[in-house]
C-alpha cells in the first residue's frame, strides 16, 4: 500500500468521540487520519451545545446575581430591567470557542503520527474511504476505523416548523438577539436550560413538553422540584401536550397545541424546537459495509465494534446517553482496545451528567425508578438543602440530595442532587457509584464544613 494513503486508523469525526482516540493512538505510534466536517475540532458540544449554552448561562446568572445584591447589603441602582448587550455575549462565545478549537488543533498537529483534515469522509468499502476537502478528492485505505460523527437536531413533523423564525437548538445558539417572548417545544435538558437562561435574560418563556413531565429520564422528585422552580420564576410549563401547528411570520408566531382534549395557543416572537437530537449517519457510506443502524444509532457490541469487523463507533452516533464526557470515555476505551491493552468500556450504570438548570441538577448512576426496573431492591436517603449552611450562605437554599442504595448491602447505586453547585459535586458522586461505596464508607469520610459536599456524609449517616 502507498504509505501516503494508508493508515492504521481512520477516524471520522473530530469531536469528543473521535479526537481523544486519535491523539491516544498517535501517541502510541499508530498512523492516524482524523477527518472533521466542521470548521474546528470539538464537535457539537463545543460549537452547538454544552459550551455555548453554558456561556449564555453564565451571563444570565450574573444578571440574576446583580439583581439580588441588595440581599447581601450591596444595593445597586437600576438593576431592574437591566439591558443585555447580546452582541458582546456572542462575541465572548465565539472567542472562547475559537480558542478552545485552536488549542485542540495545535495539540493534535503536534503529534507526528496524526494527520488532521477538514473535509468529508465517506466509506467506499470495509477498508477504504474517500476524503473530499476544498474541491479535492483523495482515496485512503485503513486497517481500522472509528465513526464518531455525533448527532444533529431532531426535526418534528409539525406544520409550520420550517417557517422563518422557527429555530432548532443550533439556531437558538446563534440567535442574534434576546427575544421578548420564546416558545420552546421540548422539555428535555436543552429545553429546560434554555428556558431558564432566556427567562433570566428577560424573555417571557413557555415550555411545551409532550411527556407527562419535564426531564423524563431524570430523578422524578428532583424533576418535580425543578418544574415548580420554573413556574415560580414565571416560566409557563405545559406537559402532556401535542403541538398541532406553528403559524405566523416575521417576529410573531402562534403555536397551537392540544392539552387534555382542549386546543390552546401561545404567542411568541421566537419558536425553538428543542426536542432532542438523533445520530448523524448521513453521508458516511455505511451501505458499502456491514455496519447496521436504525433511528436510535449505529449498532455496536460490548467493545463498540459494529457489525463490520474493524469498524467501531462512539458517542452520539451509537445513541443514548448523548454526553460529551461519555463519548470521550468510549473513545479512549476504543483506543486502548485497538492497542491491545485492557480496556474498561463505559458502563451506563456508572455514568454521570449535569443539567445546567438553575439550580443545577447533577446525577450519577441509577435513579430510583431505573434501579427498580433493573430488579434491584433499593431505598432512598434524602437531604433537604434548605437546612444546609453553605446553601444558606450563598443565598439560594433550595434543592435536594437523594442517595439511592441497595437494601441488601447498602451500596450506593445512584446519587442525584438539585442545588446550585451540583455540577461540582458530581466528581465525588461518580467515584461513589463507580466503586460501589456503601453508606457507611461515605459516612466515614470527613467532609469539610461548610460545603455542599458535607451533605453526602450527613445523608449517608442518617439513612435508615
Amino acid at each position: 500500500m502507498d504509505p501516503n494513503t494508508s493508515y492504521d486508523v481512520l477516524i471520522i469525526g473530530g469531536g469528543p468521540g473521535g479526537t481523544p482516540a486519535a491523539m491516544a493512538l498517535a501517541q502510541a505510534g499508530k498512523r492516524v487520519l482524523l477527518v472533521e466536517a466542521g470548521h474546528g475540532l470539538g464537535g457539537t458540544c463545543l460549537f452547538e451545545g454544552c459550551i455555548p449554552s453554558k456561556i449564555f448561562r453564565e451571563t444570565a446568572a450574573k444578571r440574576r446575581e446583580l439583581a439580588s445584591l441588595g440581599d447581601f447589603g450591596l444595593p445597586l441602582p437600576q438593576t431592574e430591567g437591566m439591558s443585555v448587550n447580546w452582541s458582546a455575549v456572542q462575541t465572548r462565545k465565539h472567542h472562547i470557542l475559537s480558542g478552545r478549537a485552536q488549542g485542540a488543533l495545535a495539540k493534535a498537529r503536534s503529534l507526528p503520527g496524526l494527520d488532521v483534515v477538514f473535509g468529508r469522509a465517506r466509506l467506499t468499502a470495509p477498508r477504504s474511504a474517500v476524503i473530499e476537502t476544498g474541491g479535492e478528492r483523495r482515496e485512503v485505505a485503513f486497517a481500522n476505523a472509528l465513526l464518531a460523527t455525533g448527532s444533529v437536531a431532531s426535526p418534528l413533523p409539525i406544520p409550520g416548523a420550517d417557517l422563518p423564525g422557527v429555530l432548532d437548538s443550533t439556531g437558538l445558539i446563534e440567535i442574534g438577539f434576546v427575544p421578548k417572548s420564546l416558545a420552546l417545544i421540548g422539555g428535555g435538558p436543552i429545553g429546560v436550560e434554555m428556558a431558564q437562561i432566556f427567562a433570566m435574560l428577560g424573555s417571557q418563556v413557555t415550555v411545551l413538553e409532550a411527556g407527562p413531565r419535564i426531564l423524563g429520564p431524570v430523578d422524578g422528585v428532583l424533576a418535580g422540584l425543578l418544574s415548580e422552580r420554573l413556574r415560580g420564576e414565571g416560566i409557563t410549563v405545559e406537559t402532556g401536550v401535542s403541538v398541532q401547528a406553528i403559524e405566523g411570520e416575521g417576529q410573531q408566531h402562534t403555536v397551537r397545541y392540544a392539552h387534555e382534549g382542549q386546543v390552546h395557543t401561545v404567542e411568541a416572537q421566537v419558536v425553538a424546537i428543542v426536542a432532542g437530537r438523533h445520530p448523524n449517519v448521513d453521508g458516511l457510506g455505511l451501505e458499502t459495509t456491514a455496519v447496521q443502524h436504525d433511528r436510535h444509532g449505529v449498532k455496536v457490541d460490548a467493545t463498540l465494534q459494529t457489525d463490520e469487523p474493524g469498524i467501531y463507533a462512539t458517542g452520539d452516533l451509537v445513541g443514548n446517553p448523548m454526553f460529551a464526557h461519555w463519548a470521550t470515555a468510549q473513545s479512549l476505551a476504543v483506543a486502548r482496545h485497538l492497542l491491545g491493552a485492557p480496556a474498561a468500556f463505559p458502563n451506563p450504570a456508572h455514568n454521570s451528567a449535569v443539567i445546567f438548570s438553575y439550580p443545577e441538577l447533577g446525577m450519577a448512576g441509577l435513579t430510583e425508578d431505573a434501579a427498580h426496573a433493573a430488579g434491584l431492591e433499593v431505598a432512598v436517603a434524602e437531604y433537604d438543602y434548605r437546612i444546609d449552611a453553605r446553601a444558606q450562605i450563598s443565598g439560594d437554599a433550595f434543592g435536594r440530595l437523594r442517595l439511592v442504595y441497595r437494601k441488601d448491602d447498602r451500596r450506593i447505586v445512584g446519587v442525584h442532587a438539585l442545588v446550585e453547585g451540583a455540577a461540582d459535586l458530581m466528581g465525588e458522586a461518580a467515584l461513589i457509584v463507580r466503586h460501589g461505596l456503601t453508606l457507611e464508607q461515605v459516612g466515614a469520610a470527613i467532609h469539610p464544613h461548610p460545603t455542599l459536599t458535607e451533605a453526602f456524609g450527613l445523608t449517608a449517616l442518617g439513612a435508615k
Side-chain angles (χ1 to χ4, degrees):
M1 291 185 182
D2 184 346
N4 294 318
T5 61
S6 180
Y7 292 87
D8 295 315
V9 186
L10 166 67
I11 298 180
I12 306 177
T19 301
M23 291 184 178
L25 290 165
Q27 287 170 337
K30 297 295 184 181
R31 188 156 190 262
V32 181
L33 174 61
L34 175 62
V35 184
E36 166 56 39
H39 54 276
L41 299 182
T44 297
C45 175
L46 178 59
F47 295 106
E48 302 174 10
C50 39
I51 302 301
S53 62
K54 305 317 170 282
I55 293 170
F56 291 174
R57 186 189 189 272
E58 198 67 18
T59 292
K62 290 189 182 304
R63 184 177 189 268
R64 180 190 184 107
E65 290 171 9
L66 286 173
S68 65
L69 285 181
D71 296 337
F72 296 84
L74 299 169
L76 292 180
Q78 300 179 340
T79 56
E80 187 68 28
M82 182 184 303
S83 64
V84 178
N85 184 341
W86 192 247
S87 176
V89 175
Q90 286 285 14
T91 297
R92 179 172 182 265
K93 181 196 79 174
H94 289 301
H95 177 74
I96 293 173
L97 303 192
S98 175
R100 293 188 64 80
Q102 290 174 14
L105 182 58
K107 183 177 180 180
R109 285 185 166 161
S110 71
L111 301 173
L114 176 56
D115 292 343
V116 180
V117 173
F118 291 101
R120 293 193 174 275
R122 177 173 54 83
L123 299 174
T124 55
R127 291 296 178 271
S128 64
V130 61
I131 314 300
E132 297 178 351
T133 178
E136 297 182 356
R137 189 173 184 273
R138 172 189 176 197
E139 295 183 358
V140 299
F142 54 85
N144 292 283
L146 172 58
L147 310 178
T149 49
S151 63
V152 293
S154 297
L156 294 179
I158 301 171
D162 57 349
L163 288 172
V166 178
L167 311 175
D168 59 14
S169 57
T170 301
L172 194 55
I173 288 294
E174 294 298 330
I175 194 168
F177 61 97
V178 177
K180 293 181 180 178
S181 53
L182 173 65
L184 293 160
I185 300 175
I190 300 172
V192 167
E193 288 185 4
M194 287 300 186
Q196 289 191 291
I197 286 168
F198 281 99
M200 287 191 286
L201 292 172
S203 302
Q204 181 61 49
V205 179
T206 299
V207 177
L208 302 174
E209 166 58 35
R213 63 176 174 87
I214 62 170
L215 303 175
V218 172
D219 179 277
V221 172
L222 301 190
L225 288 172
L226 184 56
S227 182
E228 292 175 11
R229 183 67 173 258
L230 265 65
R231 291 187 171 98
E233 293 172 346
I235 299 171
T236 300
V237 179
E238 297 285 0
T239 57
V241 309
S242 173
V243 177
Q244 299 180 332
I246 304 170
E247 301 164 343
E249 58 184 26
Q251 295 194 18
Q252 190 59 43
H253 296 82
T254 300
V255 181
R256 189 169 70 248
Y257 64 96
H259 181 240
E260 296 181 346
Q262 300 293 319
V263 176
H264 304 267
T265 60
V266 59
E267 307 288 330
Q269 183 182 12
V270 172
V271 177
I273 299 175
V274 290
R277 303 179 66 84
H278 66 274
N280 180 22
V281 299
D282 291 346
L284 282 176
L286 300 184
E287 67 279 3
T288 66
T289 71
V291 176
Q292 299 296 309
H293 68 92
D294 59 19
R295 65 186 182 88
H296 299 295
V298 170
K299 302 295 185 182
V300 293
D301 64 15
T303 66
L304 298 174
Q305 184 171 229
T306 68
D307 288 301
E308 182 65 67
I311 297 182
Y312 296 77
T314 58
D316 291 5
L317 190 64
V318 299
N320 290 320
M322 292 186 177
F323 296 108
H325 51 278
W326 177 258
T328 296
Q330 290 182 321
S331 185
L332 292 173
V334 169
R336 288 183 59 81
H337 179 70
L338 290 177
L339 292 170
F345 286 85
N347 181 347
H350 298 157
N351 190 38
S352 62
V354 178
I355 297 171
F356 285 84
S357 50
Y358 201 96
E360 296 163 348
L361 198 162
M363 62 205 88
L366 302 176
T367 64
E368 182 180 9
D369 288 342
H372 286 310
L376 301 179
E377 290 290 330
V378 297
V380 179
E382 288 195 355
Y383 178 88
D384 192 330
Y385 274 104
R386 288 179 297 182
I387 66 170
D388 187 83
R390 186 70 192 95
Q392 292 171 353
I393 292 167
S394 73
D396 195 0
F398 174 86
R400 196 79 55 84
L401 171 66
R402 306 189 83 224
L403 303 182
V404 182
Y405 62 95
R406 297 172 59 123
K407 290 182 178 180
D408 54 0
D409 57 12
R410 295 171 69 81
R411 293 187 181 277
I412 298 171
V413 297
V415 178
H416 306 272
L418 176 69
V419 65
E420 188 57 16
D424 296 327
L425 299 178
M426 288 304 104
E428 179 175 355
L431 287 172
I432 290 171
V433 171
R434 173 65 179 82
H435 295 286
L437 300 187
T438 65
L439 290 168
E440 287 71 24
Q441 288 172 323
V442 173
I446 301 174
H447 292 82
H449 174 78
T451 65
L452 295 177
T453 189
E454 67 181 318
F456 284 72
L458 293 171
T459 308
L461 290 172
K464 297 179 180 179

